[in-house]
Amino acid sequence: MTDPVEHLLELLAQDAGSERLAQVLPAARAAGAGGADLDRVERATELALRIRRTLTEHRRREAELEALFDTASDLAGARDPDAVLKSIVRRARLLLGTDVAYLSMNEPAAHGTSMRVTDGSVSALFQEVRLGMGEGLGGLVAQTARPYATADYFADLRFDHTTPIDTAVKDEGLVAILGVPLTLGSRVIGVLYAANRTTRRFPPDEVALLSSLADHAAIALDTAHLLEETRVALRERNEANEVIHAHSEAMRRAEEAHDRLADLVLRGADVPEVAAAVAKVLGGAIAVHDSDLGELARIGATTGTPARSAVSSSRTTGRAVAQDDTWVCAVVAGRELLGSITLTGRPDLADADRRLFERASVVTALLLLLRRSVAEAENKVRGELITDLLTAPDRDPAALTARARRIGVELGVPHVVLVADGASAPRERLLAAAAHLASAGRGLAGAHGEHVVLLLPGKEIASAATDTARVLGKAVGAPVTVGAGGPATGPDRVVEAHAEAARCLSALLVLGRRGQGGTPADLGFVGVLLGERADVAGYVRTTLGPLLDYDASRGTELVRTLSAYFACGANLSRAKDELHVHVNTVVQRLDRVGTLLGEDWVGPERVLEVQLALRLLRLVG
């Protein structure tokens, strides 16, 4: 009979579904498995189902990214406005996996928006519906320039339900609807929708992705209209051939630059590569910052960080704005500010180059969204691994080691365990900073209990604690206190090192040492007295370990001699009477103590710690 665990691995290798994986445990139970074997099969089944879910989630994300890349490629090559609209709607339906997708274009003269393109629609009435400004969901989006979503349109009282609109929606059988605006600057030119014929909630990430697609598509649509206008101008204004030729050349340059930027994203380029390409095309210095004005890339000599007021103005208008001799453009996805891009050295930026600069911000937004999606998926895997290491290290150490190796972490080498407390800093922000630090250092980070836990390769716990407190504090803009433990080698030692680090953190906080990093060695006996869970045995072992081991292996009485020596007020003559030995024997034993503990053991601080350890040894036996 095939081993159930091997059968689970074979099913995973065959890309079997969750249903088949779930059948292994009942089959093993029916075959007579019981006790530890059945528990092993049950744990293996849980892990296999978790792996199956993780793989499914990764594939879904890959499908979304592929759809976004295809969209960027299609829109970059589209020249006909109708072709642009059809590509938008087709990709929107594919991207969100909805039953229907459609797009309406605004009609300013008629003060409304009318259906232009549909994909998946079966109702002729719905395909010809027209919405006045503020009517229904789409009219509200067109009027407010804000995205709206509803899981059940007819039960949602936020919208102005008119008879023509509701009749058309019922005829199409739609229930859940998401609508986002297509904007050029501050002007809404249309609304892009994704809808289902059954109840469905649209999470924020789907709203952001559809908004990003709509923004990207609006600029591509604007490009198509501009090209059409250029062709008309060429036919109608023969007397302005030179001006039109210059304009056409500028547009061609913009298209090539846009295609090049889209190609960089498709090839998996990072932010500095995109910034370098924009700097080369525009002939200036480029800097990219995140939403907190943290620098992501810098090409050439730029003038520091952009003013928040300039970023806010660009975000509001949707256009690049001038700040002294610098151009600033907000990088946004829907309503979310992802960062900003600045251009220095081009104070006289022409309209075509200004549009190219604004397109660069859209491509940068797409790149940041993709990078964030990948980072979130990887951080989730790392966080789950941290949780498993701290809660169930003995369940399957080999599996934990293999999982870590798949994300570039080798648990077989020494790691420092760090527990961080951000006090006033938001926990999510501290976790994000810790995840970035751990990823850069080939380690792990995740939330556990009330704190953030890091697992970083290395043996120097003192420097790791100090450096981590400094780096995380700078990243979150608030003091971060870090306790360190270890080093730990292998999954089974991580829990012990984590407990040590947590006790150290507790002592640091009690001592008022916020914003610092520390180790048990830094705290000495203070850690034993102030730690939330004092490790008395560990302190005794750390302080007197060499003497205890020497006495145990050789049958000597160094610990007893040292206790008598201190009890007699460090008087050799009284100590030899207490021990019933010659004074030279006492001196020889104390010399051996100095050899084992180090010559500095007679210093005031060491003497205090040694006496405390001896007292604790007598108390706990």
Side-chain angles (χ1 to χ4, degrees):
M1 175 182 174
T2 304
D3 180 60
V5 176
E6 292 181 1
H7 185 44
L8 283 170
L9 294 176
E10 290 175 355
L11 290 176
L12 285 174
Q14 296 168 8
D15 201 24
S18 299
E19 296 80 4
R20 294 184 62 189
L21 293 172
Q23 292 171 1
V24 173
L25 180 59
R29 188 179 290 114
D37 291 338
L38 189 60
D39 290 341
R40 184 170 66 93
V41 176
E42 183 177 0
R43 289 194 298 271
T45 301
E46 291 175 0
L47 291 174
L49 290 172
R50 188 183 302 169
I51 293 170
R52 175 75 272 165
R53 289 193 295 270
T54 301
L55 291 174
T56 301
E57 178 66 17
H58 286 179
R59 288 174 180 171
R60 185 185 69 80
R61 289 184 178 274
E62 289 173 0
E64 289 181 354
L65 295 181
E66 183 178 355
L68 279 175
F69 291 153
D70 291 344
T71 299
S73 179
D74 287 351
L75 295 181
R79 299 294 179 264
D80 177 41
D82 289 333
V84 171
L85 295 178
K86 291 178 182 178
S87 178
I88 295 169
V89 175
R90 183 178 64 254
R91 293 299 181 187
R93 184 183 178 196
L94 174 64
L95 189 64
L96 269 70
T98 55
D99 298 327
V100 182
Y102 50 101
L103 183 146
S104 62
M105 297 298 294
N106 283 12
E107 299 173 342
H111 197 64
T113 179
S114 61
M115 194 72 71
R116 180 73 175 269
V117 179
T118 65
D119 190 90
S121 172
V122 295
S123 168
L125 179 63
F126 180 78
Q127 294 168 13
E128 297 176 357
V129 71
R130 183 187 176 280
L131 296 79
M133 284 295 179
E135 296 178 353
L137 183 146
L140 190 58
V141 173
Q143 183 182 59
T144 63
R146 295 175 59 186
Y148 280 89
T150 177
D152 188 343
Y153 173 77
F154 292 102
D156 201 326
L157 301 180
R158 292 178 298 167
F159 309 115
D160 181 9
H161 291 271
T162 65
T163 300
I165 296 174
D166 285 6
T167 302
V169 173
K170 286 180 180 178
D171 195 52
E172 186 63 56
L174 300 183
V175 176
I177 305 174
L178 165 64
V180 298
L182 272 70
T183 59
L184 288 175
S186 59
R187 182 167 58 95
V188 179
I189 63 172
V191 180
L192 178 62
Y193 308 82
N196 250 27
R197 294 188 174 92
T198 56
T199 301
R200 168 178 173 172
R201 295 192 179 277
F202 296 95
D205 58 340
E206 291 186 346
V207 177
L209 285 172
L210 191 61
S211 298
S212 179
L213 173 63
D215 291 341
H216 195 67
I219 293 177
L221 188 61
D222 184 41
T223 301
H225 284 302
L226 288 174
L227 287 173
E228 185 65 24
E229 292 172 3
T230 301
R231 295 189 187 98
V232 173
L234 285 171
R235 292 194 300 267
E236 296 178 349
R237 301 179 184 181
N238 293 328
E239 68 279 7
N241 285 334
E242 292 183 2
V243 176
I244 293 176
H245 176 72
H247 180 70
S248 178
E249 182 63 23
M251 293 305 303
R252 184 197 61 79
R253 176 167 164 264
E255 293 168 22
E256 291 179 353
H258 187 259
D259 291 346
R260 181 180 178 187
L261 293 177
D263 182 63
L264 283 174
V265 176
L266 290 171
R267 291 191 291 104
D270 55 15
V271 176
E273 288 182 85
V274 173
V278 176
K280 182 177 181 181
V281 172
L282 294 179
I286 292 290
V288 182
H289 295 82
D290 61 21
S291 57
D292 295 320
L293 299 183
E295 186 176 301
L296 300 177
R298 182 181 293 272
I299 306 298
T302 61
T303 55
T305 58
R308 291 188 181 274
S309 58
V311 177
S312 178
S313 177
S314 174
R315 180 186 183 185
T316 302
T317 62
R319 301 296 302 273
V321 298
Q323 176 196 356
D324 298 329
D325 292 335
T326 300
W327 287 90
V328 180
C329 192
V331 177
V332 297
R335 305 287 295 181
E336 181 183 2
L337 177 66
L338 300 178
S340 62
I341 180 170
T342 58
L343 171 64
T344 306
R346 289 292 308 275
D348 55 343
L349 197 63
D351 286 345
D353 283 349
R354 181 176 176 177
R355 285 195 179 95
L356 175 57
F357 181 52
E358 292 165 352
R359 287 178 183 151
S361 74
V362 175
V363 173
T364 303
L366 178 60
L367 183 60
L368 292 178
L369 275 177
L370 299 181
R371 190 175 73 167
R372 184 172 69 181
S373 296
V374 172
E376 287 176 351
E378 182 175 338
N379 289 340
K380 181 179 180 181
V381 173
R382 292 174 180 268
E384 290 174 349
L385 182 55
I386 278 282
T387 299
D388 290 346
L389 282 170
L390 296 179
T391 57
D394 299 327
R395 179 178 296 173
D396 193 344
L400 292 174
T401 302
R403 284 171 57 191
R405 190 173 293 120
R406 283 195 293 272
I407 56 176
V409 177
E410 183 54 64
L411 295 178
V413 301
H415 281 72
V416 178
V417 179
L418 304 151
V419 180
D421 178 83
S424 60
R427 185 184 182 192
E428 294 75 12
R429 192 170 179 182
L430 177 60
L431 180 58
H436 178 73
L437 175 63
S439 179
R442 300 181 68 83
L444 298 172
H448 185 71
E450 299 179 355
H451 302 120
V452 172
V453 180
L454 296 92
L455 195 66
L456 300 179
K459 298 180 179 179
E460 299 296 328
I461 66 173
S463 60
T466 303
D467 293 345
T468 301
R470 175 179 53 80
V471 172
L472 294 184
K474 182 178 180 181
V476 303
V480 176
T481 312
V482 177
T489 303
D492 55 328
R493 300 302 302 275
V494 172
V495 173
E496 178 182 340
H498 170 263
E500 184 180 53
R503 288 192 297 269
C504 182
L505 172 64
S506 177
L508 288 171
L509 295 175
V510 171
L511 288 171
R513 291 175 56 179
R514 289 193 177 276
Q516 299 182 26
T519 69
D522 297 334
L523 299 173
F525 70 89
V526 176
V528 174
L529 296 176
L530 299 181
E532 200 170 279
R533 293 168 54 195
D535 185 9
V536 174
Y539 177 76
V540 172
R541 165 56 58 179
T542 300
T543 307
L544 301 177
L547 302 185
L548 295 171
D549 293 341
Y550 193 89
D551 283 348
S553 63
R554 307 200 178 197
T556 55
E557 294 185 329
L558 297 183
V559 173
R560 179 169 174 263
T561 300
L562 196 58
S563 297
Y565 175 69
F566 285 129
C568 295
N571 186 298
L572 293 174
S573 178
R574 291 170 55 194
K576 61 98 174 174
D577 293 336
E578 177 72 20
L579 296 168
H580 306 290
V581 296
H582 195 275
V583 68
N584 290 339
T585 301
V586 177
V587 172
Q588 291 172 359
R589 291 179 180 177
L590 293 178
D591 287 343
R592 177 60 64 184
V593 169
T595 300
L596 295 173
L597 297 184
E599 296 300 327
D600 63 338
W601 78 274
V602 294
E605 291 186 4
R606 286 293 302 279
V607 165
L608 178 60
E609 292 193 356
V610 170
Q611 290 189 70
L612 177 61
L614 289 170
R615 180 72 59 87
L616 291 173
L617 182 62
R618 287 198 302 272
L619 291 175
V620 301

